[in-house]
Amino acid sequence: MLLLTQVIIILLAFTSQQHEATASSIVLPINKHTDAAANVLFSTHAYFDNSQYPDPRHDTPAYFNSQYHQQSLLIDLDAPFIWHYSYPHQDGCDACPYAVTCREVPCTDLRTTFSYQDPSCPPPTNHSMYEGYFDCELCPVNIISPVTGSCSQALPTYDQFMFTTSNNGKNVLFDDLYTAYPTAASTPPWTFDPFPSNVLGVIALSTSPYALPAYLHDPVNRTVGLCLPSTTSNPGVLFLGNGPYYLNPKSDVDVRSLLSYTVLLKQPDSFGYFIGVNAIVIKNRSIVIPANATSTKINTLNHYTKLRTDVYNNVVRRFSSVTKRIPRANKLAAPFGLCFNTTVNGTNVGLKVPDIDLMLQDGKKWTVSTRNSIKQVTEDVACLAVVDGGPTSEHAIVVGTYQFEDNFLLFDLEKSRLGFSSSLLRRGTSCSNLDFTVTQ
């Protein structure tokens, strides 16, 4: 199975009446771990009302009462809408008052303009694919699994989510919850059979008007701050809203002051995020990206950066040339094409290799340091962590999550720009340095 990286965020959904948050940001932990289904992923918890979503597989944390349970969702920067396991798939039709019917505008939107596009998906019809729901006139829509790539169907509903917040970018608040009301699709639990353990949905953070950022409202604006951890022991952080953002031990430095910015580009038929890359520079030599292929995609579903074959061959050739004094591994480790021996006289030694610079269209530079360019595969073997995307790849460059672990990325939909820090490790901090102790 293709190596995938997913990111899963915490999502709090309640049906009881709650007050609106006054804090400036939503703040959520991101946890990294390995899994047999997806190999590498980032996970955290979601909480739902047990009276609506009974499922014995979920646990309840100490600071919630027994009414709520947890659910995990994958982050997808491309998904056109949110989908997850929820109430229409219980017995009876109690969810009908909250369901989108086939006569409503969201039904048409989610089936056409803002739908998943895949030739394997059949045209949805105006009746439910589940027995017992034909009288409800529900609106089945197609969804694509980010793990298997297979197509199935889900039922759009008018949903309610709640999130923990921060008013200072340093601490997590539980007594000032933030409510959003997205139109999200409900799908049965068997949809997630190949998913990582306890993952029951996908949270869309794309530019689609049915993705979560479109439902953010004052005081939280349409800004997504993504900071992926590089270890399994401590979480990274996801911010929704314009900050401030602080990471220990430099708790007096707003991460926004460390960012450079580049324009976000729009691509037809895509809700994902793209930037313009003119060249890749390795030790003062440029690998020019063809003028018709400079649009670079940022993706949370690929663990390693994919390069179109012509670009990949040039990068590997140049990187091999500037590291010729480092002994090669006896055998390549799939899926990589350039690997090094990291054991000298029985002692493991760390590699120090030149930076890889992405030269952006507006003159900015995104630096990929050794930590994000070299993957230690075994005790003896480390590899250049890019993969061949094939000669007909739609995009010459698709930046994967390994290349932006411990980098802070700020997707500013208000100003249509991307903020990026390059490696935070060089700034004396990391994505795992936010205190997630919940305060009342």
Side-chain angles (χ1 to χ4, degrees), residues 160-178:
Q160 181 180 0
F161 299 159
M162 278 194 118
F163 304 89
T164 51
T165 61
S166 177
N167 60 1
N168 59 9
K170 299 179 181 180
N171 304 107
V172 180
L173 304 174
F174 183 63
D175 61 351
D176 196 9
L177 299 174
Y178 180 91

Side-chain angles (χ1 to χ4, degrees), residues 4 7 16 38 101 140 206 212 228 231 253 259 261 318 335 339 342 368:
L4 296 175
V7 184
S16 59
T101 72
S206 69
L212 181 60
L228 304 186
T231 70
V253 178
L259 304 181
Y261 291 90
R318 176 58 182 164
C339 295
T342 58
V368 180

Side-chain angles (χ1 to χ4, degrees), residues 223-334:
T223 302
V224 178
L226 190 64
C227 203
L228 304 186
S230 58
T231 70
T232 59
S233 56
N234 295 296
V237 60
L238 173 70
F239 286 103
L240 297 172
N242 196 36
Y245 320 118
Y246 294 98
L247 298 172
N248 293 322
K250 297 181 178 296
S251 57
D252 59 339
V253 178
D254 187 342
V255 176
R256 293 176 299 179
S257 68
L258 307 179
L259 304 181
S260 299
Y261 291 90
T262 189
V263 174
L264 284 170
L265 305 177
K266 294 182 179 180
Q267 292 289 297
D269 302 320
S270 177
F271 303 112
Y273 296 96
F274 301 84
I275 58 175
V277 176
N278 286 339
I280 300 173
V281 175
I282 304 172
K283 204 169 184 180
N284 301 319
R285 182 172 297 181
S286 294
I287 299 166
V288 177
I289 307 300
N292 62 349
T294 57
S295 180
T296 292
K297 185 176 185 178
I298 300 173
N299 197 327
T300 52
L301 301 182
N302 292 63
H303 190 43
Y304 302 107
T305 291
K306 286 185 176 182
L307 303 175
R308 198 178 62 194
T309 298
D310 57 331
V311 178
Y312 174 82
N313 288 340
N314 287 333
V315 167
V316 170
R317 187 180 302 115
R318 176 58 182 164
F319 205 83
S320 179
S321 175
V322 300
T323 57
K324 58 187 177 182
R325 294 186 178 180
I326 302 175
R328 289 344 188 217
N330 294 329
K331 186 178 180 180
L332 293 177

Side-chain angles (χ1 to χ4, degrees), residues 247-261 365-367 369 406-408 420-431 433:
L247 298 172
N248 293 322
K250 297 181 178 296
S251 57
D252 59 339
V253 178
D254 187 342
V255 176
R256 293 176 299 179
S257 68
L258 307 179
L259 304 181
S260 299
Y261 291 90
K365 178 177 69 175
W366 181 353
T367 297
S369 64
D406 284 323
N407 286 235
F408 197 99
F420 57 96
S421 65
S422 296
S423 178
L424 291 173
L425 302 179
R426 292 181 171 179
R427 308 276 191 160
T429 186
S430 75
C431 290
N433 281 349

Side-chain angles (χ1 to χ4, degrees), residues 319-374:
F319 205 83
S320 179
S321 175
V322 300
T323 57
K324 58 187 177 182
R325 294 186 178 180
I326 302 175
R328 289 344 188 217
N330 294 329
K331 186 178 180 180
L332 293 177
F336 307 118
L338 177 60
C339 295
F340 306 96
N341 180 8
T342 58
T343 300
V344 177
N345 296 325
T347 301
N348 186 267
V349 295
L351 295 184
K352 176 61 178 176
V353 299
D355 291 339
I356 299 175
D357 293 325
L358 304 181
M359 308 306 295
L360 308 181
Q361 286 184 349
D362 43 14
K364 303 295 177 57
K365 178 177 69 175
W366 181 353
T367 297
V368 180
S369 64
T370 301
R371 171 58 190 82
N372 297 107
S373 66
I374 298 295

Side-chain angles (χ1 to χ4, degrees), residues 116-164:
Y116 281 87
Q117 302 293 330
D118 192 282
S120 69
C121 294
T125 59
N126 282 344
H127 62 78
S128 174
M129 63 284 192
Y130 305 104
E131 292 184 8
Y133 289 91
F134 293 95
D135 294 337
C136 292
E137 298 183 2
L138 300 182
C139 172
V141 295
N142 290 327
I143 56 175
I144 303 293
S145 168
V147 176
T148 66
S150 60
C151 184
S152 56
Q153 290 191 325
L155 301 175
T157 62
Y158 298 106
D159 223 324
Q160 181 180 0
F161 299 159
M162 278 194 118
F163 304 89
T164 51

